[in-house]
Every structure is written in structure tokens, then in C-alpha cells.
């Protein structure tokens, strides 16, 4: 009697796990992402919704998540259309690669981002845009930043700190 | 089977003891029936107040009434609010001491402020009925209910209603200090800036406070100032788009409550000072913390912080080993010129202003150490930004300084942005940044961009309160002219020094 109860509970647990897996792995892929651009006041964000490629047949959820991070990060770094006033990454900055590990996205930026003439307003606004954009994606709550494939403690201009993954609460 | 029997027995015993407790408690309460839509419920804990009938959130009649409408009642003693929740969802929320209630996010005036007696929360019955679109409880609709453990009370009539009390009528009496020992809440000043609202509670004297946030989606915040008297008439005002209302009331004989209603979940920072409490509501971060305490006046402490990031976790008060020592950090230097425009270099402006700040502070009796006193790298020429910045923090950290203040010049890719900004990151930095920013705003005619949270290495890795002043934009023509002016640099240095001293006097 006792054993049958244990088996029943175990079966229930497995069924629940299977259902959870099914719904998370077959969740409808978002057809769009929101990119946040930081206004020149350095405080508030301009949200832009852009279309994104949905998950393709045969594409794993992990591969699609990685695509979304790369795509959204590239959009954030590229900045909004030229007629929109927003803080922008230094000219020439681009995303070298992006990956996802658990809830942490890692973005590798080209060395142009480390611009010595930039101040606190620039650096803070740039990374606020990047972090808010990526943490708006499902399952991402922090972003690690690399520069030219290396971990850096700070940027040279405004000394914005990059040695640990950034969260929204850093602003 | 036996196990279940024991459980059921326990529940019944608990229910019985609860009922006995209610009956014992309801000495001054009444049983009164209420009929509506062909239904009838009996309120067992009904009490009369100057503002109208009150009923306990535990009242079986109230719960039956709400249940009939498809809802439930929750009394959260920790957070001091009562929720009436319906599927949909629609939430009616009452907060103890607040003479307003919310239906969803819309505020309505309540008949009286809900209050607590003997751990039971009493809410305005007619407000609940109004929210449920039912007729009010009055002699015209009430009927006498059969007694339960006490004789049937007379129905409440309007003639029984006296003048509205200014304090909760059944609040537990607390021993009150002498009036001359009470702090005086002198007023509230709300200043709106882009993206934030600063609400300053002016208080003379010493005392303690506590703040709490109601559970989301309720965006109300309370700050209870203890051992205090409200020296003005009750205050009701709005404060821009981020703060729907600021209300100040004498909550009890020696407690003044400041209630903030926010239209959305925003970050709220509560910082005590020598002359009151400053609340900053900003749309940057939504905090996780729900409460905190502190003291204001001659001894200022804060043992909780709403800032949720690791660098700003609940603050333990920093105790400097050199309380008279202030470290001033002129940004950049040596091989690192910082921002450059024409012949003007950030490192030279920062050093000049820093020296002026040092001289002012030394003249006032402070010990001052600068991370550099000439044009050089603090760590080594052409070193990494990390090594250079850590070396500056080491100067302050190794000496147990009272505070660290770093001086810089800002720069942007075009000439648009202008003015000064003061940066902080850790919870303990904010008061320093605010003190300095306030002085800059009042003593200089420059555009003040206020206090900004930013993860800058030098302030994040200082163990003591630290702030970074970006004095002006070298990229803006007007600011560029100011940066070249010796008299303006002196004014900036004076304002920074005054702000530092303000901070030390209240922290």
C-alpha cells in the first residue's frame, strides 16, 4: 500500500516534469524583440519593437535563444535610426559573438567600444541600452560583457565597471 | 486514518479557539445583520466609529458577504493591509492608517482610516459595500441579529455617529514622551526632476522611522516617523507623474505617517539626514525590499535599503578608523589625460578643482589626502584602468577614511548634454551624492543633472561612502568656457566642500 503510494507520487512527478518540459520547449517563439535605446538624459529608455526570426523547424530552443541574443545585441549596439536622439555606442562598435549560459547572456564587443574620450554618460547609457534589451528576452536576467574576447574590469573613458555580469538593478 | 482524525480535530480546536477569541474580543462590538439581494449576513465584530461602521477583516459575516460575491478577504498583518480579491482580478485594498482605499489602481477616499485593535484589522464596512455596489449599512437596511454570546445590539443609526476621529479610535494607548521631547515634522517638499521625484520630509529633533511598501500590485509606501508631532495641518499634495499623492497625518499620539501613492512600481530610496528624511522615487529600478528602519537627527542610521543590487544590499553602517580623514580623487592623470578639447585636459581641471576642495576642507579642520597631487598616474604609467582605479580606492580603503570623492569632467560625442552630475552606486553613497549635488545646485548657476546611480569602478570599490562628480561637459561650449574659468572652479570646489561637510554633519 505504502509502496503503491510512492510509485503513484513518483509517476505524478514525472508527468508534471514532462508537461513542464513540453510547454517550455514548445513555447511559441517570439516574432519580435524589444530594443531599448537610452535617451540622452541617460535615465530613460526608448523602446523599439522589431521583428525577429521565429524558431525554425529543427532549430533547438537553445540555438534560437542564442540567435535572439545576438540579434537583439546587434540592434542595440547599432543604435536607433539616425533621426532618433539617443546615446550610441562609439562608431565602429559591433558584436563579435553572443552566447547564452543559463540566465546569463554573454556578449563580446569589438574593441571600438573602449573609447578613451567617452564619459560616464556615454558608457552608462550604452550599456543600459544593451542590458535592458537583452534582459527583456525570455530567461535572461544578466549580461556578461567581453571586449575583443577578453574580460575587462572597466572601460577607459568613464570607468564604467564590466568585470561582473550586469543586471537592470545596476542602474 | 488516525492521523487525519488528529488533523481535523486540530483544525476544529483551532477554529473553536479562534471563535472564542473573537467573542472575547468583541466586548465592544456588536452583532448586526445586513440584508441584501435576498441574502442575509451577520457581522459579529461590528463597531461604531465616528466615520461609520467598522468591521474586522476576520469577521465571518464580512467573509461570507465577500464570498457570495466570488471574492476573498486577506489581512496581512506584516504589511498592514487588507485585500479583498475577486477573480478578474479586481482587488480592493485598504491600508492601516490610510484614509483612502484602492479599487484596482484607483484611489477613493475612505470613511475613515482602517485601524488595528488587538491584532484585528478593522475596515470601513460601507466602503466595502460601496465597492461591491451594495447599499450602505445603516439603520434602514440593518436588522437586529440574534445574540451569539452577548445580548443583541441595537442597530446602528446615523444618530449614533459622532464626529470623525482624527486618530484611530481604538488604537492601543502607548506611553507618550513629553511633547517637548517630540521631533517636529515641519513640512514636506516635493521636487520633480526628469525621471525622479525627491520628497523631503523636514524634521527638527531626533527620532526613529520605519518605512514599508505594500505588496505589489499595491504601490503605496509609508514612512512612520516615531516620537514626532506634525507641526502643520495635514498635508495632501501631488508630486508629478511618478507620485500620485503625498499625504502626511498624525497617525497616533507620537507617530506621524507620510503615505506615498505611486501610479506604478518605481524605485524608492529612503535616506535619513540631520534635518529630516529624503525619499527619492525614480523610474530606474524596481526594488525587492519591502521595509526598513533608521534614525534621523544627530545620529543618522539606516539598517535597510531598497536598493537590490549586490553593491547596494542592506547597508551595514561603515565605521571609519579615521573619521576626520577625507580622500579626494582627481580623475585621470599622467599618461591618461581623460577627456580632451583643444588644450584643455580633464586630468588638469580635475586636479585643480581637487586641490581647491582640499584647501577649503583643511581650512575647516579636516585631514585630507589626495590620490595624486600632481600630473601622474597613481598606479603606473600606461597601466590598466582597473589597476589605476583600484590604486585610488586603496588610498582611501587602507586609511579608513571617512569618505572618498572623485572629481571628473564629463564628455559626450556631441555638444548637446551640459551641466553637472553626481554619481553614486552603493546604498551608502547616495546621501553623500545628494549632499554634494544639493550644494552644487544651490551655489552654482549650472544645469544640475542631479544624482545618478552608475556602476563606476572607483565608487563601487571604495568601502566607505563614495561619490563621483562630473563637474561639466568639456564637449559643450558653455560648459567648456566655465571649465576654463578659475573663479568657476573655485565656486565648484566650494560647493563640493560644503556638500562634503553637510554629509559629515548628518552621517
Amino acid at each position: 500500500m505504502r509502496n503503491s503510494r510512492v510509485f503513484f507520487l513518483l509517476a505524478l512527478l514525472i508527468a508534471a516534469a514532462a508537461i513542464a518540459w513540453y510547454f517550455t520547449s514548445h513555447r511559441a517563439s517570439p516574432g519580435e524583440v524589444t530594443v531599448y535605446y537610452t535617451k540622452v538624459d541617460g535615465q530613460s529608455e526608448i523602446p523599439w519593437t522589431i521583428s525577429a526570426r521565429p524558431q525554425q523547424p529543427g532549430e533547438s530552443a537553445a540555438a534560437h535563444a542564442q540567435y535572439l541574443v545576438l540579434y537583439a545585441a546587434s540592434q542595440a549596439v547599432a543604435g536607433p535610426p539616425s533621426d532618433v536622439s539617443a546615446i550610441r555606442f562609439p562608431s565602429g562598435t559591433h558584436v563579435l559573438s553572443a552566447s547564452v549560459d543559463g540566465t546569463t547572456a554573454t556578449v563580446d564587443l569589438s574593441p571600438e567600444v573602449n573609447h578613451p574620450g567617452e564619459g560616464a554618460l556615454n558608457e552608462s547609457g550604452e550599456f543600459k541600452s544593451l542590458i535592458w534589451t537583452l534582459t527583456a528576452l525570455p530567461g535572461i536576467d544578466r549580461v556578461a560583457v567581453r571586449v575583443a574576447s577578453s574580460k575587462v574590469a572597466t572601460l577607459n573613458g568613464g570607468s564604467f565597471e564590466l568585470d561582473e555580469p550586469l543586471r537592470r538593478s545596476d542602474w | 486514518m488516525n492521523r487525519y482524525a488528529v488533523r481535523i480535530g486540530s483544525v476544529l480546536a483551532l477554529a473553536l479557539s479562534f471563535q472564542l477569541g473573537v467573542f472575547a474580543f468583541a466586548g465592544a462590538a456588536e452583532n448586526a445583520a445586513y440584508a441584501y439581494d435576498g441574502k442575509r449576513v451577520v457581522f459579529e465584530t461590528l463597531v461604531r466609529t465616528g466615520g461609520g461602521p467598522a468591521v474586522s477583516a476576520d469577521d465571518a459575516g464580512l467573509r461570507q458577504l465577500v464570498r457570495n460575491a466570488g471574492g476573498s478577504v486577506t489581512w496581512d498583518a506584516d504589511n498592514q493591509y487588507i485585500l479583498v480579491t475577486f477573480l478578474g482580478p479586481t482587488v480592493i485594498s485598504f491600508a492601516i492608517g490610510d484614509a483612502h482605499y484602492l479599487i484596482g489602481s484607483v484611489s477613493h477616499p475612505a470613511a475613515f482610516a482602517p485601524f488595528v485593535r488587538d491584532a484585528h484589522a478593522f475596515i470601513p464596512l460601507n466602503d466595502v459595500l460601496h465597492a461591491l455596489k451594495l447599499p450602505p449599512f445603516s439603520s434602514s437596511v440593518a436588522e437586529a441579529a440574534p445574540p451569539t454570546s452577548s445580548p443583541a445590539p441595537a442597530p446602528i443609526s446615523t444618530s449614533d455617529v459622532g464626529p470623525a476621529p482624527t486618530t484611530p479610535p481604538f488604537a492601543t494607548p502607548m506611553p507618550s514622551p513629553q511633547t517637548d521631547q517630540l521631533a517636529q515634522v515641519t513640512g514636506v517638499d516635493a521636487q520633480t526632476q526628469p525621471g525622479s521625484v525627491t520628497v523631503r520630509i523636514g524634521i527638527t529633533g531626533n527620532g526613529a522611522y520605519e518605512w514599508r511598501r505594500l505588496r505589489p500590485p499595491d504601490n503605496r509606501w509609508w514612512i512612520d516617523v516615531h516620537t514626532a508631532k506634525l507641526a502643520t495641518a495635514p498635508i495632501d499634495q501631488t508630486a508629478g507623474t511618478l507620485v500620485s499623492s503625498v499625504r502626511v497625518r498624525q497617525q497616533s499620539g507620537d507617530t506621524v505617517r507620510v503615505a506615498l501613492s505611486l501610479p506604478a512600481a518605481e524605485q524608492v530610496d529612503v535616506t535619513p539626514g540631520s534635518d529630516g528624511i529624503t525619499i527619492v522615487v525614480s523610474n530606474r529600478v524596481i526594488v525587492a525590499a519591502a521595509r526598513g528602519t533608521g534614525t534621523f537627527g544627530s545620529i543618522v542610521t539606516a539598517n535597510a535599503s531598497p536598493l537590490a543590487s549586490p553593491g547596494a544590499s542592506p547597508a551595514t553602517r561603515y565605521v571609519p578608523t579615521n573619521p576626520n580623514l577625507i580622500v579626494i580623487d582627481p580623475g585621470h592623470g599622467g599618461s591618461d589625460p581623460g577627456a580632451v578639447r583643444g588644450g584643455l585636459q580633464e586630468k588638469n581641471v580635475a586636479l585643480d578643482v581637487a586641490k581647491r576642495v582640499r584647501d577649503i576642507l583643511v581650512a575647516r579642520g579636516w585631514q585630507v589626502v589626495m590620490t595624486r597631487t600632481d600630473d601622474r598616474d597613481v598606479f603606473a604609467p600606461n597601466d590598466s584602468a582597473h589597476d589605476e582605479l583600484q590604486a585610488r580606492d586603496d588610498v582611501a580603503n587602507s586609511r579608513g577614511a571617512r569618505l572618498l570623492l572623485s572629481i571628473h569632467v564629463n564628455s559626450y560625442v556631441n555638444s548637446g548634454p551640459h551641466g553637472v552630475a553626481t554619481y553614486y552606486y552603493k546604498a551608502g553613497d547616495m546621501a553623500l551624492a545628494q549632499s554634494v549635488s544639493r550644494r552644487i545646485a544651490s551655489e552654482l548657476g549650472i544645469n544640475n543633472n542631479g544624482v545618478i546611480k552608475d556602476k563606476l569602478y572607483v565608487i563601487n570599490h571604495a568601502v566607505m561612502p563614495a561619490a563621483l562628480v562630473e563637474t561639466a561637459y568639456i564637449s559643450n561650449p558653455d560648459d567648456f568656457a566655465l571649465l576654463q574659468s578659475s573663479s568657476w572652479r573655485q565656486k565648484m570646489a566650494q560647493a563640493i566642500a560644503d556638500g562634503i561637510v553637510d554629509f559629515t554633519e548628518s552621517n
Side-chain angles (χ1 to χ4, degrees):
Chain A
M1 182 65 178
R2 188 180 180 120
N3 280 344
S4 65
R5 277 188 184 176
V6 171
F7 283 127
F8 175 72
L9 285 173
L10 204 58
L12 204 61
L13 201 63
I14 291 168
I19 290 167
W21 172 81
Y22 179 85
F23 279 105
T24 52
S25 62
H26 291 73
R27 185 169 46 197
S29 298
E32 53 189 26
V33 296
T34 301
V35 183
Y36 293 88
Y37 298 112
T38 308
K39 292 182 182 175
V40 179
D41 65 6
Q43 306 281 318
S44 45
E45 300 294 299
I46 310 165
W48 279 70
T49 301
I50 57 175
S51 59
R53 172 176 63 75
Q55 188 174 354
Q56 302 297 301
E59 182 185 31
S60 70
H64 187 63
Q66 183 159 330
Y67 153 75
L68 283 179
V69 167
L70 178 62
Y71 178 65
S74 299
Q75 295 292 335
V77 169
S82 57
D83 59 339
V84 176
S85 178
I87 293 175
R88 295 164 190 275
F89 279 83
S91 177
T93 305
H94 57 281
V95 180
L96 297 174
S97 66
S99 60
V100 180
D101 183 8
T103 62
T104 302
T106 299
V107 177
D108 188 7
L109 298 174
S110 64
E112 289 87 350
V113 71
N114 207 351
H115 194 287
E118 291 209 316
L121 176 69
N122 269 100
E123 292 180 356
S124 177
E126 293 159 11
F127 285 95
K128 187 176 184 183
S129 166
L130 181 65
I131 275 58
W132 280 54
T133 297
L134 296 186
T135 54
L137 297 175
I140 303 295
D141 66 4
R142 65 178 78 184
V143 180
V145 177
R146 302 284 182 268
V147 177
S149 305
S150 298
K151 184 175 178 179
V152 297
T154 77
L155 294 177
N156 289 332
S159 76
F160 188 81
E161 190 172 345
L162 292 173
D163 57 352
E164 293 174 347
L166 296 164
R167 299 168 178 264
R168 287 194 178 196
S169 57
D170 286 322
W171 279 269
Chain B
M1 179 65 186
N2 286 342
R3 190 173 50 195
Y4 293 119
V6 168
R7 284 183 185 171
I8 291 168
S10 301
V11 170
L12 287 173
L14 189 65
L16 182 61
S17 63
F18 173 74
Q19 283 296 317
L20 290 172
V22 168
F23 292 156
F25 150 76
E30 302 175 5
N31 288 340
Y34 174 78
Y36 68 101
D37 295 343
K39 301 185 181 73
R40 180 178 178 276
V41 294
V42 177
F43 301 119
E44 297 175 334
T45 61
L46 197 80
V47 294
R48 310 172 193 201
T49 78
V55 66
S56 166
D58 303 312
D59 189 284
L62 175 72
R63 288 174 177 263
Q64 182 63 48
L65 180 97
V66 172
R67 199 160 46 240
N68 289 345
S72 61
V73 182
T74 304
W75 157 227
D76 187 325
D78 287 340
N79 291 306
Q80 298 280 291
Y81 65 83
I82 304 100
L83 296 180
V84 184
T85 309
F86 298 92
L87 291 175
T90 297
V91 178
I92 307 168
S93 55
F94 293 89
I96 299 300
D98 187 352
H100 294 74
Y101 66 101
L102 299 177
I103 302 178
S105 60
V106 180
S107 179
H108 300 267
F112 56 86
F115 57 90
V116 175
R117 185 175 70 164
D118 296 339
H120 293 265
F122 283 78
I123 55 178
L125 175 59
N126 281 337
D127 289 335
V128 177
L129 297 174
H130 173 72
L132 296 177
K133 296 182 171 54
L134 293 174
F137 184 98
S138 69
S139 56
S140 61
V141 292
E143 56 181 77
T148 51
S149 62
S150 59
I156 293 176
S157 69
T158 51
S159 61
D160 294 319
V161 178
T166 55
T167 57
F170 302 105
T172 305
M174 297 285 286
S176 298
Q178 297 296 317
T179 303
D180 58 2
Q181 294 176 331
L182 296 176
Q184 301 282 316
V185 177
T186 56
V188 168
D189 174 53
Q191 300 285 337
T192 302
Q193 301 93 26
S196 69
V197 173
T198 301
V199 179
R200 195 180 155 282
I201 308 169
I203 309 173
T204 58
N206 304 319
Y209 69 92
E210 61 182 312
W211 60 264
R212 68 174 70 227
R213 183 207 172 163
L214 301 188
R215 184 178 300 167
D218 196 323
N219 293 312
R220 282 182 290 183
W221 295 72
W222 292 339
I223 298 91
D224 278 350
V225 184
H226 299 302
T227 61
K229 275 283 183 189
L230 180 58
T232 71
I235 298 169
D236 282 274
Q237 66 179 78
T238 57
T241 55
L242 288 179
V243 180
S244 308
S245 68
V246 180
R247 294 188 297 274
V248 186
R249 297 284 188 274
Q250 187 75 46
Q251 171 70 8
S252 66
D254 62 352
T255 298
V256 174
R257 172 166 290 177
V258 180
L260 271 63
S261 291
L262 314 184
E266 310 287 6
Q267 171 159 337
V268 175
D269 298 304
V270 182
T271 307
S274 62
D275 55 356
I277 300 168
T278 300
I279 307 156
V280 178
V281 181
S282 59
N283 60 5
R284 290 199 293 267
V285 179
I286 298 171
V287 301
R291 62 183 61 200
T293 59
T295 59
F296 56 85
S298 58
I299 301 174
V300 178
T301 63
N303 67 1
S305 166
L307 300 174
S309 60
S313 57
T316 52
R317 187 165 169 78
Y318 168 72
V319 179
T321 54
N322 269 321
N324 293 321
L325 177 65
I326 290 168
V327 173
I328 303 295
D329 171 43
H332 308 277
S335 62
D336 174 15
V340 177
R341 180 176 182 179
L344 193 64
Q345 296 184 324
E346 178 181 5
K347 64 178 183 180
N348 295 330
V349 177
L351 180 60
D352 184 47
V353 174
K355 284 180 174 176
R356 293 169 191 263
V357 174
R358 176 196 61 188
D359 294 345
I360 295 166
L361 291 173
V362 168
R364 291 185 182 182
W366 291 91
Q367 298 170 26
V368 177
V369 168
M370 293 175 62
T371 55
R372 65 181 179 95
T373 55
D374 53 18
D375 183 17
R376 64 182 178 86
D377 300 272
V378 174
F379 186 76
N382 299 307
D383 53 358
S384 70
H386 170 266
D387 290 342
E388 182 67 21
L389 295 168
Q390 187 59 52
R392 293 163 194 259
D393 284 322
D394 290 345
V395 170
N397 293 344
S398 65
R399 288 170 169 81
R402 179 75 165 267
L403 60 88
L404 168 69
L405 192 114
S406 189
I407 297 171
H408 285 249
V409 173
N410 218 336
S411 176
Y412 190 64
V413 292
N414 64 40
S415 60
H418 61 108
V420 62
T422 310
Y423 291 86
Y424 73 98
Y425 183 69
K426 310 185 301 294
D429 299 339
M430 191 177 181
L432 172 61
Q434 287 177 324
S435 295
V436 171
S437 181
R438 268 198 295 269
R439 282 292 190 164
I440 291 173
S442 64
E443 296 180 21
L444 280 91
I446 190 171
N447 175 49
N448 185 14
N449 295 306
V451 170
I452 299 171
K453 185 184 178 189
D454 201 358
K455 195 174 184 182
L456 302 176
Y457 189 99
V458 75
I459 49 179
N460 187 27
H461 290 266
V463 299
M464 66 285 299
L468 185 149
V469 180
E470 294 275 9
T471 51
Y473 279 86
I474 201 169
S475 46
N476 176 269
D478 294 336
D479 281 14
F480 180 64
L482 293 175
L483 288 167
Q484 292 175 298
S485 161
S486 176
S487 63
W488 185 85
R489 292 181 190 179
Q490 185 63 31
K491 285 182 184 175
M492 175 59 78
Q494 184 70 51
I496 292 172
D498 289 343
I500 288 172
V501 173
D502 287 350
F503 171 78
T504 60
E505 288 174 349
S506 59
N507 287 275

